[in-house]
Amino acid sequence: MFKYYSLSLFTVACMLIAGCNSSEVAGTNAVAQEDTQETAAPNIILFVADDLGWSDVSYQGSEIQTPELDRLAAGGARFDRFYAQPLCSPTRGAIMTGRSPVRTGVLKPFEPWYEEGLPLNEKILPQYFKEEGYDTYAIGKWHLGPNHVSYHPQNRGFDYFYGSVNGFFNHYTHAVWRGVDWQRNGETVIEEGYSTELIADDVIRIIQSQDENTPLLLYVAMQAPHTPLQAPEAAIAEYAHIEDETRRVFAAMVSEMDRQIARVMTALDDSSMADNTLVMFISDNGGNENLGANNGEYRGGKTSPLEGGIHVPALMYWPGQIAAGTEYADLFAVEDILPTFLGVAGVDQEYPLPIDGVNKWPAISQGIEVEDNESILVKWSDAGADYDYAYFKDDWKMVQLMVDGTKQHSLFSILEDPYEQNDLAAEFPEVVTDLVNRFEAIPKGKVAGLGSPPPPTITGLGGPGSIEADFRPLEIPPYTETMRTD
């Protein structure tokens, strides 16, 4: 399943005792890890792109140029089957908890008028790492509860937060429907600049000022290339050959994000932390092809549990720990991030609530087979007031879609049929029944946002599906002045 592996000293010793060679254990390009008496706790940086499709990076053959992501993918592990949730907030909630959205109730995006957020009884990613002595930072888009400060990152285990609590905003004015949503630890920041660049500026400042004796967890959630489609004119000009204006600006946003990640990586390389830092990059869901994205040959897009909505680009990079050119072919779901990061840090953790993720670090770094997990990619179907979801088990993928209020099921042998062309539900009804029953048996969390229609003052301009940015005069107070603290 893997092209390259890194061998632990234990594995090397076993090879010597057994008299076998490296190719019999883990391929011909194994990299032995250095024997150290005491290894400092590793730093971890997670980049999350917003609405980036499978075919929107150049290492997947895109016309969009992403040389830095290409370099990281070539120098580390490239994930062939990374699955995010089909929407923004559900993916972010799964990153933070290691739990399926069906358990937490985070099945929809947290809109600007929602009162609740990611449930406060959930122990989340930074809290685990704070217990291990880490400094924890959240930069960029939060989108896990906008209107009450108790849900905000600086009150949930992050030492520091800079960015937006909502899911979309004007990339230059940082406003959501005429109110500025740009803050640093609860204090509004009024500043000029393109959001992608400002996020990178802050990350670089953190890296340059970090105490080398204190490990860091750095969560960097980009707003790009989410609508509204905005990019620097110079970046747009690079894609003058793309006739479709929507795709042209989208491409510029992706390239600009890649440039800013390159700036961060340069700062990391110039620091004392470079050799002891794991970097991961993912997209939060598949792209919306009506808004400039490209999911390749996969069916569906953002919001859909079909492959185009959930099968996204992802990579890990850590020279010396992950062999260059690794291709991780097994399923890696977004719920696996939390236990995998804890595995990277060497933390043997007991979880206060059942998690769905599995620590995949032994497989990525050493080629050791790990337990496979049953993964659920799910969203709430407003039209049918029920779930649209995909359930993965072994080589099967079962999809439930609500169509005119009726549950419709499809079944795919996903390894043989990655583009979902051959529905096997009629041929294997017992498999469909089994997977439906497994889903139904999962304890369900209260769905956040039910019964929360938008206020009449909200318009489509500047909203999450609006290509055009909202440049109307700012007429409401900044979000930090309207957030509830009671």
Side-chain angles (χ1 to χ4, degrees):
M1 298 292 272
F2 309 96
K3 286 189 175 179
Y4 302 94
Y5 300 90
S6 297
L7 297 186
S8 67
L9 291 176
F10 175 79
T11 304
V12 173
C14 290
M15 289 162 48
L16 293 174
I17 293 169
C20 59
N21 60 47
S22 62
S23 62
E24 292 174 317
V25 177
T28 60
N29 292 284
V31 177
Q33 296 176 346
E34 293 183 3
D35 187 10
T36 56
Q37 293 295 322
E38 184 176 350
T39 302
N43 306 294
I44 297 175
I45 301 176
L46 173 62
F47 292 102
V48 182
D50 202 334
D51 291 2
L52 185 74
W54 175 257
S55 295
D56 288 330
V57 290
S58 48
Y59 72 80
Q60 306 281 46
S62 176
E63 78 277 29
I64 301 175
Q65 296 304 301
T66 55
E68 184 63 13
L69 293 178
D70 297 353
R71 182 183 75 85
L72 299 178
R78 169 177 166 176
F79 291 84
D80 295 335
R81 296 184 64 218
F82 184 92
Y83 286 102
Q85 295 292 332
L87 282 165
C88 302
S89 296
T91 286
R92 293 159 209 279
I95 290 171
M96 292 296 149
T97 64
R99 286 162 44 84
S100 169
V102 77
R103 295 186 192 272
T104 64
V106 182
L107 295 163
K108 307 169 67 175
F110 284 104
E111 302 291 4
W113 54 89
Y114 284 12
E115 289 297 322
E116 65 268 82
L118 177 66
L120 297 176
N121 67 323
E122 298 282 349
K123 184 175 182 180
I124 70 171
L125 184 68
Q127 294 172 312
Y128 291 101
F129 280 86
K130 284 300 295 179
E131 292 174 355
E132 302 301 319
Y134 276 68
D135 287 344
T136 56
Y137 304 89
I139 315 296
K141 171 176 171 174
W142 180 237
H143 209 192
L144 287 173
N147 288 321
H148 199 295
V149 296
S150 60
Y151 293 112
H152 294 176
Q154 69 271 23
N155 297 313
R156 303 212 58 180
F158 284 105
D159 295 312
Y160 173 88
F161 169 60
Y162 168 76
S164 166
V165 294
N166 283 285
F168 54 91
F169 54 79
N170 184 308
H171 290 271
Y172 285 98
T173 67
H174 320 133
V176 177
W177 281 314
R178 294 189 270 186
V180 172
D181 179 21
W182 199 244
Q183 62 166 278
R184 182 174 280 112
N185 284 343
E187 298 292 331
T188 291
V189 178
I190 304 295
E191 60 185 347
E192 296 181 356
Y194 186 56
S195 61
T196 305
E197 183 175 352
L198 294 175
I199 288 169
D201 288 345
D202 215 57
V203 174
I204 291 168
R205 180 191 59 77
I206 289 168
I207 290 172
Q208 291 175 340
S209 62
Q210 180 68 18
D211 181 349
E212 63 180 19
N213 295 313
T214 305
L216 65 75
L217 171 72
L218 186 48
Y219 173 64
V220 186
M222 297 289 191
Q223 174 76 357
H226 194 290
T227 54
L229 299 185
Q230 299 171 279
E233 289 300 324
I236 297 173
E238 294 175 10
Y239 291 97
H241 59 283
I242 297 180
E243 294 184 6
D244 180 80
E245 182 180 7
T246 299
R247 179 66 173 171
R248 187 187 317 132
V249 180
F250 181 96
M253 295 178 76
V254 175
S255 279
E256 192 62 24
M257 177 182 67
D258 185 81
R259 270 189 284 269
Q260 299 307 320
I261 291 174
R263 289 181 59 221
V264 171
M265 293 305 299
T266 296
L268 180 64
D269 289 341
D270 291 341
S271 75
S272 61
M273 300 185 294
D275 293 337
N276 196 34
T277 300
L278 170 74
V279 176
M280 187 174 190
F281 172 89
I282 70 168
S283 177
D284 68 341
N285 47 248
N288 186 330
E289 294 191 334
N290 294 321
L291 300 176
N294 183 353
N295 299 311
E297 297 183 60
Y298 294 126
R299 293 174 57 194
K302 178 179 179 178
T303 78
S304 171
L306 295 171
E307 292 290 287
I310 56 180
H311 195 150
V312 299
L315 62 87
M316 274 188 181
Y317 178 81
W318 189 2
Q321 299 294 326
I322 301 175
T326 297
E327 289 191 15
Y328 188 84
D330 286 344
L331 184 150
F332 191 115
V334 67
E335 289 83 1
D336 297 329
I337 288 177
L338 183 145
T340 298
F341 282 180
L342 291 173
V344 169
V347 177
D348 186 13
Q349 179 66 54
E350 292 187 4
Y351 302 100
L353 294 170
I355 71 165
D356 299 284
V358 171
N359 174 16
K360 301 295 179 68
W361 180 239
I364 296 165
S365 62
Q366 300 177 57
I368 298 172
E369 186 174 348
V370 299
E371 171 192 1
D372 198 10
N373 51 318
E374 299 177 18
S375 295
I376 309 103
L377 294 307
V378 60
K379 79 177 185 72
W380 185 256
S381 174
D382 288 308
D386 209 324
Y387 301 96
D388 286 354
Y389 69 92
Y391 198 110
F392 289 86
K393 184 178 186 300
D394 301 324
D395 295 345
W396 292 114
K397 177 186 179 184
M398 191 274 293
V399 177
Q400 173 177 297
L401 296 176
M402 298 300 300
V403 180
D404 297 327
T406 301
K407 299 176 181 178
Q408 294 190 359
H409 298 103
S410 302
L411 182 69
F412 304 100
S413 179
I414 199 64
L415 296 183
E416 297 178 359
D417 182 22
Y419 304 123
E420 298 170 304
Q421 300 298 308
N422 186 20
D423 184 356
L424 302 174
E427 188 174 349
F428 297 95
E430 72 283 1
V431 175
V432 173
T433 299
D434 176 56
L435 298 182
V436 168
N437 289 342
R438 288 173 181 271
F439 177 82
E440 295 295 339
I442 299 170
K444 307 296 192 296
K446 175 182 176 293
V447 179
L450 286 184
S452 299
T457 56
I458 297 299
T459 69
L461 182 63
S466 175
I467 294 176
E468 182 182 354
D470 185 358
F471 280 101
R472 292 176 294 178
L474 301 179
E475 294 182 354
I476 65 173
Y479 267 72
T480 53
E481 296 181 17
T482 59
M483 292 169 183
R484 290 176 47 212
T485 58
D486 58 313

